[in-house]
Amino acid sequence: LGGSISRALQQMSNATIIDEKVLNECLNEITRALLQSDVQFKLVRDMQTNIKKIVNLDDLAAGHNKRKIIQQAIFNELCKMLDPGKPSFTPKKGKTSVVMFVGLQGSGKTTTCTKYAYYHQKKGWKPALVCADTFRAGAFDQLKQNATKAKIPFYGSYMESDPVKIAVEGVERFKQENCDLIIVDTSGRHKQEVALFEEMRQVSEATKPDLVIFVMDSSIGQAAFDQAQAFKQSVAVGAVIVTKMDGHAKGGGALSAVAATKSPVIFIGTGEHMDEFEVFDVKPFVSRLLGMGDWSGFMDKIHEVVPMDQQPELLQKLSEGNFTLRIMYEQFQNILKMGPIGQVFSMLPGFSAELMPKGREKESQAKIKRYMTMMDSMTNEELDSSNPKLMNESRIMRIARGSGRHVREVMEMFEEYKRLAKIWSKMKGLKIPKKGDMSAL
Ligand code: GDP
Ligand code: MG
């Protein structure tokens, strides 16, 4: 997809005169590409109409960067399509919420339930998992295994075949135990079947969830709209999670799911492991959909704000792909100074959304300072190593003691490091475009 969109825009920027015809050809090409990326036909057509309203041909003719203007218009339009206009219900820590997961078999419900629980547990919540999947053999074992690994309480049964009964018992039990996030995993079927939707309706009616999350495999293709709509018609879907974003699929079906459920995407799954789970961030998602690469904005920023003499060193480090704790330390220093490189790093997808959420800059700064205090207690060997295995228990204890922080906090700092190292490693071997050649990305 990215290729054909870039190609379409390339053709357009090569054309000397941009007229209605050229713009139409370009839009048709993009339409085809979006369809291939599983965006629903109706949505693509709406977008096309809107783009035509927005893009002013007179402006385009006046020597502006046509490609950029059209790309920006498409980008904005897709971002808007992913915004249903109202946020989803957000559970509150310390207040009991019941969250029910629905989706077809294999979409990633059970995996995502655990990720969702684990994500909240790390933030100090008391989550619990209820297995109301009595359809698939082994469903309870899978949930039990996941839950045990994450040390999350769980409820289920090998004997009981009534999902409604189990769901109600589980929810009741965890309410009594004062859990603040009770997650109900449900069954799926291979196909959209009447029996499945009836079961979902009954489980929902009996457990009265505060939020129903529709879990969608990013690779389901054009089926996304009908599937999401079918679930929405039987239960009150209020949010979407898109899984398997680590695969090849670009996730165009997410636009359909948002349109069909009128609910926002809240998280994405990026792997089979418990911590491969990210808060949904619309801009990188759309960049990927358009094949622009998550890095285009980042690279723009580097050329824009990093002093020329500092660029080569930074880019060199980036292309080597080895992210050490020392690099993290230096970037933290930059962020605190809010020097130019600090600004750049605050653009990194991982840095901005997780480490430095908008509107909470003060807290983020305090956290970064805490991390730096801990890193001050590390040896040079530890700072310069990019081998995560080096940090064994005794080293972690020593760092905690040396910096007067909890072991838990030191571990949290390492988690942060590992997350950033993973993002950074994607830059490895990246060809750094020269200034003015950003479109190559
Ligand atoms: P369920 O039938 O909806 O409960 O789906 P499962 O949670 O059992 O997941 C089905 C398969 O997809 C399992 O093999 C999971 O490990 C895998 N899976 C789930 N989420 C992701 C993801 O984000 N990335 C990848 N690569 N695999 C995933
Ligand atoms: Mg399951």
Side-chain angles (χ1 to χ4, degrees), residues 198-226:
E198 179 54 24
E199 182 177 320
M200 293 305 108
R201 202 187 55 71
Q202 286 179 12
V203 171
S204 165
E205 201 153 83
T207 56
K208 308 236 166 347
D210 299 283
L211 175 66
V212 178
I213 299 178
F214 170 63
V215 177
M216 188 198 99
D217 181 333
S218 62
S219 64
I220 58 168
Q222 288 286 339
F225 191 89
D226 287 347

mmCIF file of all heavy atoms in Angstrom, residues 198-226:
data_model
loop_
_atom_site.group_PDB
_atom_site.id
_atom_site.type_symbol
_atom_site.label_atom_id
_atom_site.label_comp_id
_atom_site.label_asym_id
_atom_site.label_seq_id
_atom_site.Cartn_x
_atom_site.Cartn_y
_atom_site.Cartn_z
ATOM 1 N N GLU A 198 -25.938 -14.771 20.623
ATOM 2 C CA GLU A 198 -26.910 -14.966 21.682
ATOM 3 C C GLU A 198 -26.171 -15.169 23.014
ATOM 4 O O GLU A 198 -26.544 -14.613 24.042
ATOM 5 C CB GLU A 198 -27.813 -16.177 21.347
ATOM 6 C CG GLU A 198 -28.858 -16.509 22.398
ATOM 7 C CD GLU A 198 -29.748 -15.328 22.780
ATOM 8 O OE1 GLU A 198 -29.895 -14.391 21.975
ATOM 9 O OE2 GLU A 198 -30.301 -15.344 23.911
ATOM 10 N N GLU A 199 -25.084 -15.940 22.952
ATOM 11 C CA GLU A 199 -24.286 -16.169 24.169
ATOM 12 C C GLU A 199 -23.703 -14.849 24.678
ATOM 13 O O GLU A 199 -23.742 -14.558 25.879
ATOM 14 C CB GLU A 199 -23.176 -17.175 23.849
ATOM 15 C CG GLU A 199 -22.312 -17.525 25.046
ATOM 16 C CD GLU A 199 -21.260 -18.583 24.705
ATOM 17 O OE1 GLU A 199 -21.568 -19.540 23.969
ATOM 18 O OE2 GLU A 199 -20.113 -18.433 25.170
ATOM 19 N N MET A 200 -23.172 -14.045 23.770
ATOM 20 C CA MET A 200 -22.591 -12.764 24.172
ATOM 21 C C MET A 200 -23.644 -11.873 24.827
ATOM 22 O O MET A 200 -23.390 -11.213 25.822
ATOM 23 C CB MET A 200 -21.991 -12.038 22.953
ATOM 24 C CG MET A 200 -20.781 -12.711 22.337
ATOM 25 S SD MET A 200 -19.460 -13.001 23.520
ATOM 26 C CE MET A 200 -19.555 -14.764 23.716
ATOM 27 N N ARG A 201 -24.832 -11.885 24.236
ATOM 28 C CA ARG A 201 -25.913 -11.070 24.767
ATOM 29 C C ARG A 201 -26.262 -11.496 26.192
ATOM 30 O O ARG A 201 -26.408 -10.682 27.083
ATOM 31 C CB ARG A 201 -27.139 -11.188 23.846
ATOM 32 C CG ARG A 201 -28.131 -10.040 23.939
ATOM 33 C CD ARG A 201 -29.392 -10.315 23.127
ATOM 34 N NE ARG A 201 -30.044 -11.575 23.495
ATOM 35 C CZ ARG A 201 -30.700 -11.794 24.643
ATOM 36 N NH1 ARG A 201 -30.807 -10.840 25.534
ATOM 37 N NH2 ARG A 201 -31.247 -12.977 24.902
ATOM 38 N N GLN A 202 -26.310 -12.818 26.387
ATOM 39 C CA GLN A 202 -26.663 -13.332 27.719
ATOM 40 C C GLN A 202 -25.582 -13.043 28.759
ATOM 41 O O GLN A 202 -25.877 -12.640 29.875
ATOM 42 C CB GLN A 202 -26.913 -14.836 27.642
ATOM 43 C CG GLN A 202 -28.238 -15.182 26.979
ATOM 44 C CD GLN A 202 -28.450 -16.684 26.890
ATOM 45 O OE1 GLN A 202 -27.721 -17.462 27.519
ATOM 46 N NE2 GLN A 202 -29.424 -17.106 26.105
ATOM 47 N N VAL A 203 -24.328 -13.237 28.376
ATOM 48 C CA VAL A 203 -23.226 -12.964 29.319
ATOM 49 C C VAL A 203 -23.243 -11.484 29.695
ATOM 50 O O VAL A 203 -23.092 -11.105 30.856
ATOM 51 C CB VAL A 203 -21.855 -13.364 28.715
ATOM 52 C CG1 VAL A 203 -20.708 -12.874 29.613
ATOM 53 C CG2 VAL A 203 -21.766 -14.868 28.506
ATOM 54 N N SER A 204 -23.462 -10.660 28.693
ATOM 55 C CA SER A 204 -23.468 -9.223 28.943
ATOM 56 C C SER A 204 -24.635 -8.826 29.836
ATOM 57 O O SER A 204 -24.500 -8.035 30.772
ATOM 58 C CB SER A 204 -23.535 -8.487 27.603
ATOM 59 O OG SER A 204 -23.875 -7.146 27.804
ATOM 60 N N GLU A 205 -25.787 -9.386 29.573
ATOM 61 C CA GLU A 205 -26.967 -9.076 30.357
ATOM 62 C C GLU A 205 -26.769 -9.488 31.819
ATOM 63 O O GLU A 205 -27.181 -8.793 32.739
ATOM 64 C CB GLU A 205 -28.171 -9.810 29.780
ATOM 65 C CG GLU A 205 -29.484 -9.199 30.166
ATOM 66 C CD GLU A 205 -30.536 -9.516 29.104
ATOM 67 O OE1 GLU A 205 -31.099 -10.611 29.183
ATOM 68 O OE2 GLU A 205 -30.747 -8.676 28.208
ATOM 69 N N ALA A 206 -26.100 -10.632 32.007
ATOM 70 C CA ALA A 206 -25.930 -11.156 33.363
ATOM 71 C C ALA A 206 -24.827 -10.460 34.140
ATOM 72 O O ALA A 206 -24.902 -10.341 35.357
ATOM 73 C CB ALA A 206 -25.651 -12.666 33.297
ATOM 74 N N THR A 207 -23.796 -9.999 33.459
ATOM 75 C CA THR A 207 -22.656 -9.410 34.197
ATOM 76 C C THR A 207 -22.667 -7.894 34.172
ATOM 77 O O THR A 207 -21.901 -7.261 34.881
ATOM 78 C CB THR A 207 -21.308 -9.901 33.620
ATOM 79 O OG1 THR A 207 -21.278 -9.600 32.219
ATOM 80 C CG2 THR A 207 -21.125 -11.390 33.819
ATOM 81 N N LYS A 208 -23.513 -7.312 33.334
ATOM 82 C CA LYS A 208 -23.631 -5.855 33.230
ATOM 83 C C LYS A 208 -22.260 -5.160 33.147
ATOM 84 O O LYS A 208 -21.893 -4.377 34.030
ATOM 85 C CB LYS A 208 -24.401 -5.277 34.428
ATOM 86 C CG LYS A 208 -25.750 -5.932 34.685
ATOM 87 C CD LYS A 208 -26.861 -4.930 34.679
ATOM 88 C CE LYS A 208 -28.245 -5.514 34.596
ATOM 89 N NZ LYS A 208 -28.433 -6.912 34.249
ATOM 90 N N PRO A 209 -21.512 -5.436 32.074
ATOM 91 C CA PRO A 209 -20.178 -4.828 31.973
ATOM 92 C C PRO A 209 -20.239 -3.304 31.818
ATOM 93 O O PRO A 209 -21.187 -2.786 31.208
ATOM 94 C CB PRO A 209 -19.586 -5.465 30.707
ATOM 95 C CG PRO A 209 -20.762 -5.925 29.918
ATOM 96 C CD PRO A 209 -21.829 -6.285 30.914
ATOM 97 N N ASP A 210 -19.251 -2.618 32.381
ATOM 98 C CA ASP A 210 -19.151 -1.170 32.205
ATOM 99 C C ASP A 210 -18.591 -0.860 30.825
ATOM 100 O O ASP A 210 -18.805 0.213 30.277
ATOM 101 C CB ASP A 210 -18.220 -0.583 33.266
ATOM 102 C CG ASP A 210 -18.739 -0.848 34.657
ATOM 103 O OD1 ASP A 210 -19.668 -0.145 35.065
ATOM 104 O OD2 ASP A 210 -18.230 -1.788 35.327
ATOM 105 N N LEU A 211 -17.832 -1.820 30.310
ATOM 106 C CA LEU A 211 -17.227 -1.613 28.991
ATOM 107 C C LEU A 211 -17.137 -2.955 28.269
ATOM 108 O O LEU A 211 -16.757 -3.963 28.873
ATOM 109 C CB LEU A 211 -15.812 -1.026 29.158
ATOM 110 C CG LEU A 211 -14.968 -0.856 27.887
ATOM 111 C CD1 LEU A 211 -15.591 0.180 26.961
ATOM 112 C CD2 LEU A 211 -13.539 -0.432 28.231
ATOM 113 N N VAL A 212 -17.515 -2.974 26.996
ATOM 114 C CA VAL A 212 -17.321 -4.162 26.162
ATOM 115 C C VAL A 212 -16.269 -3.809 25.114
ATOM 116 O O VAL A 212 -16.393 -2.803 24.408
ATOM 117 C CB VAL A 212 -18.626 -4.603 25.463
ATOM 118 C CG1 VAL A 212 -18.361 -5.818 24.571
ATOM 119 C CG2 VAL A 212 -19.709 -4.919 26.487
ATOM 120 N N ILE A 213 -15.216 -4.615 25.069
ATOM 121 C CA ILE A 213 -14.135 -4.354 24.117
ATOM 122 C C ILE A 213 -14.187 -5.374 22.987
ATOM 123 O O ILE A 213 -14.187 -6.581 23.222
ATOM 124 C CB ILE A 213 -12.761 -4.413 24.816
ATOM 125 C CG1 ILE A 213 -12.669 -3.347 25.912
ATOM 126 C CG2 ILE A 213 -11.636 -4.210 23.792
ATOM 127 C CD1 ILE A 213 -11.361 -3.358 26.689
ATOM 128 N N PHE A 214 -14.237 -4.868 21.767
ATOM 129 C CA PHE A 214 -14.217 -5.732 20.585
ATOM 130 C C PHE A 214 -12.762 -5.932 20.159
ATOM 131 O O PHE A 214 -12.041 -4.966 19.895
ATOM 132 C CB PHE A 214 -15.034 -5.090 19.458
ATOM 133 C CG PHE A 214 -14.877 -5.771 18.126
ATOM 134 C CD1 PHE A 214 -15.288 -7.087 17.941
ATOM 135 C CD2 PHE A 214 -14.315 -5.100 17.042
ATOM 136 C CE1 PHE A 214 -15.139 -7.722 16.709
ATOM 137 C CE2 PHE A 214 -14.171 -5.724 15.805
ATOM 138 C CZ PHE A 214 -14.579 -7.035 15.640
ATOM 139 N N VAL A 215 -12.323 -7.193 20.138
ATOM 140 C CA VAL A 215 -10.940 -7.504 19.773
ATOM 141 C C VAL A 215 -10.900 -7.950 18.315
ATOM 142 O O VAL A 215 -11.633 -8.850 17.908
ATOM 143 C CB VAL A 215 -10.368 -8.613 20.682
ATOM 144 C CG1 VAL A 215 -8.954 -8.986 20.248
ATOM 145 C CG2 VAL A 215 -10.377 -8.159 22.132
ATOM 146 N N MET A 216 -10.049 -7.293 17.551
ATOM 147 C CA MET A 216 -9.997 -7.540 16.109
ATOM 148 C C MET A 216 -8.581 -7.860 15.652
ATOM 149 O O MET A 216 -7.641 -7.160 15.993
ATOM 150 C CB MET A 216 -10.479 -6.254 15.426
ATOM 151 C CG MET A 216 -10.680 -6.363 13.962
ATOM 152 S SD MET A 216 -10.707 -4.694 13.234
ATOM 153 C CE MET A 216 -9.043 -4.610 12.645
ATOM 154 N N ASP A 217 -8.459 -8.927 14.909
ATOM 155 C CA ASP A 217 -7.170 -9.294 14.313
ATOM 156 C C ASP A 217 -6.893 -8.332 13.154
ATOM 157 O O ASP A 217 -7.750 -8.142 12.288
ATOM 158 C CB ASP A 217 -7.292 -10.747 13.811
ATOM 159 C CG ASP A 217 -6.014 -11.278 13.196
ATOM 160 O OD1 ASP A 217 -5.208 -10.475 12.680
ATOM 161 O OD2 ASP A 217 -5.822 -12.501 13.226
ATOM 162 N N SER A 218 -5.710 -7.728 13.145
ATOM 163 C CA SER A 218 -5.419 -6.720 12.108
ATOM 164 C C SER A 218 -5.476 -7.295 10.699
ATOM 165 O O SER A 218 -5.568 -6.559 9.734
ATOM 166 C CB SER A 218 -4.052 -6.091 12.355
ATOM 167 O OG SER A 218 -3.051 -7.078 12.265
ATOM 168 N N SER A 219 -5.406 -8.619 10.585
ATOM 169 C CA SER A 219 -5.352 -9.182 9.228
ATOM 170 C C SER A 219 -6.692 -9.723 8.719
ATOM 171 O O SER A 219 -6.719 -10.447 7.738
ATOM 172 C CB SER A 219 -4.300 -10.287 9.194
ATOM 173 O OG SER A 219 -4.690 -11.339 10.046
ATOM 174 N N ILE A 220 -7.806 -9.354 9.355
ATOM 175 C CA ILE A 220 -9.080 -9.947 8.910
ATOM 176 C C ILE A 220 -9.626 -9.365 7.616
ATOM 177 O O ILE A 220 -10.582 -9.875 7.056
ATOM 178 C CB ILE A 220 -10.207 -9.885 9.967
ATOM 179 C CG1 ILE A 220 -10.464 -8.456 10.377
ATOM 180 C CG2 ILE A 220 -9.918 -10.808 11.115
ATOM 181 C CD1 ILE A 220 -11.743 -8.311 11.174
ATOM 182 N N GLY A 221 -9.028 -8.305 7.157
ATOM 183 C CA GLY A 221 -9.407 -7.796 5.845
ATOM 184 C C GLY A 221 -10.758 -7.111 5.817
ATOM 185 O O GLY A 221 -11.213 -6.548 6.817
ATOM 186 N N GLN A 222 -11.394 -7.190 4.670
ATOM 187 C CA GLN A 222 -12.654 -6.472 4.462
ATOM 188 C C GLN A 222 -13.779 -6.958 5.384
ATOM 189 O O GLN A 222 -14.818 -6.327 5.474
ATOM 190 C CB GLN A 222 -13.098 -6.585 3.001
ATOM 191 C CG GLN A 222 -12.251 -5.777 2.022
ATOM 192 C CD GLN A 222 -12.532 -4.286 2.108
ATOM 193 O OE1 GLN A 222 -13.569 -3.854 2.587
ATOM 194 N NE2 GLN A 222 -11.581 -3.469 1.665
ATOM 195 N N ALA A 223 -13.573 -8.104 6.039
ATOM 196 C CA ALA A 223 -14.615 -8.639 6.915
ATOM 197 C C ALA A 223 -14.803 -7.782 8.167
ATOM 198 O O ALA A 223 -15.779 -7.947 8.899
ATOM 199 C CB ALA A 223 -14.271 -10.066 7.317
ATOM 200 N N ALA A 224 -13.880 -6.876 8.421
ATOM 201 C CA ALA A 224 -13.892 -6.121 9.680
ATOM 202 C C ALA A 224 -15.217 -5.415 9.953
ATOM 203 O O ALA A 224 -15.730 -5.463 11.065
ATOM 204 C CB ALA A 224 -12.742 -5.117 9.692
ATOM 205 N N PHE A 225 -15.759 -4.763 8.947
ATOM 206 C CA PHE A 225 -16.961 -3.971 9.188
ATOM 207 C C PHE A 225 -18.124 -4.844 9.645
ATOM 208 O O PHE A 225 -18.749 -4.588 10.672
ATOM 209 C CB PHE A 225 -17.354 -3.159 7.952
ATOM 210 C CG PHE A 225 -18.428 -2.144 8.227
ATOM 211 C CD1 PHE A 225 -18.095 -0.864 8.653
ATOM 212 C CD2 PHE A 225 -19.772 -2.474 8.108
ATOM 213 C CE1 PHE A 225 -19.071 0.075 8.940
ATOM 214 C CE2 PHE A 225 -20.765 -1.533 8.394
ATOM 215 C CZ PHE A 225 -20.406 -0.261 8.808
ATOM 216 N N ASP A 226 -18.392 -5.898 8.879
ATOM 217 C CA ASP A 226 -19.525 -6.774 9.210
ATOM 218 C C ASP A 226 -19.341 -7.435 10.565
ATOM 219 O O ASP A 226 -20.284 -7.559 11.348
ATOM 220 C CB ASP A 226 -19.677 -7.864 8.147
ATOM 221 C CG ASP A 226 -20.227 -7.285 6.853
ATOM 222 O OD1 ASP A 226 -20.704 -6.127 6.891
ATOM 223 O OD2 ASP A 226 -20.157 -7.979 5.824
#
